[in-house]
Amino acid sequence: MAFSSLNFFRALLLLFLATSAFSTRPYKEGLTPHFYDYACPQALPAVQRIVEAAVQQERRMGASLLRLHFHDCFVNGCDASILLDPSPTIDSEKLAFPNNNSARGFEVIDQIKAEVDKACGYSLVSCADILAIAARDSVVALGGPSWEVQLGRRDSTRASRTTANTDIPAPNMDLPSLISTFQKQGLDTRDLVALSGAHTIGFAQCRVFRNRTYNDANIAADFAGSLRSLCPRTGEDSNLAGLDPSPAQFDALYFHNLLAQKGLLHSDQALYSGGSTDELVKTYSDDAEAFWDDFAKSMIKMGNIKPLIGNQGQIRLNCRKVN
């Protein structure tokens, strides 16, 4: 009996030490790809299952989930603030110009959260981490590269529509403005070009490419003509055009398009307009593997923008509202 009791207390001590090490490690070391390895190894496979099912049902959803992570990280860091609904205390980023009637995939994130909480037995995985994992899994589901997602973020208790309006890159930006916007987040010109390559998947609405279609000089005439059939000078604001010729496949055609002056957005073509990023666009156009490698590295770097760790923020029970 004494021997059994001793073993029992030893087991309790080991459990306490393991739990203590797990809870303090993120605060001391920052993010790690192994954050949930012991506490809930089922977490990442659960995210992957839901993402794959959502993308299989609608290929466009992969680009939408990737975009949510981008737009989250550029507003006060990767903290899931983009997911918060409007409330008396939340000035929702969903209502900001870059997101309003544009950002989508929130229901998929809700589904992932419910599935992950069920797999783990309680609300362990943050909504911010779910966004980061779902972005990676979306790229993979559309045929793109994979990377080890750094984990351990916690969720914000606030949002900022004002910051979303000022800090998320706009589709009408020129190259100096894009470089400045990315530098503000600690991202360099290589990150700018690589991450802009996310526009190899997905669509854009007429209202964001209309001005380029009718007014830009650096646009191929045949391309502008085809866009005008989709996007008249007035009306039809929500009509969609692919960001590159294969919007459901993660490839390098986005960069081929830029060389041919067929970038859909003004900010896309700005990357190849006689400026400092021209050579990198050429490199990615010729070497898809180089693009994939740099995209993965830049996604990890972007995911490290001002994360909440340790005791900062919270783990939301519902991704749409503060606990």
Side-chain angles (χ1 to χ4, degrees), residues 37-106:
D37 283 4
Y38 298 103
C40 186
Q42 306 92 338
L44 270 67
V47 178
Q48 183 181 21
R49 283 196 304 273
I50 302 300
V51 169
E52 288 179 347
V55 172
Q56 185 174 10
Q57 182 176 354
E58 182 196 6
R59 301 282 285 179
R60 181 186 172 200
M61 185 55 67
S64 298
L65 294 174
L66 176 59
R67 187 169 182 258
L68 282 181
H69 184 44
F70 271 84
H71 284 208
D72 180 45
C73 290
F74 269 75
V75 183
N76 298 321
C78 308
D79 59 5
S81 58
I82 193 173
L83 302 178
L84 289 169
D85 285 338
S87 77
T89 59
I90 297 296
D91 188 19
S92 179
E93 293 164 24
K94 294 179 179 181
L95 302 179
F97 180 77
N99 299 323
N100 194 25
N101 297 319
S102 171
R104 58 196 298 273
F106 299 108

Side-chain angles (χ1 to χ4, degrees), residues 184-198:
K184 184 175 181 180
Q185 306 296 340
L187 301 171
D188 59 26
T189 53
R190 183 172 292 271
D191 299 315
L192 163 62
V193 179
L195 292 174
S196 294

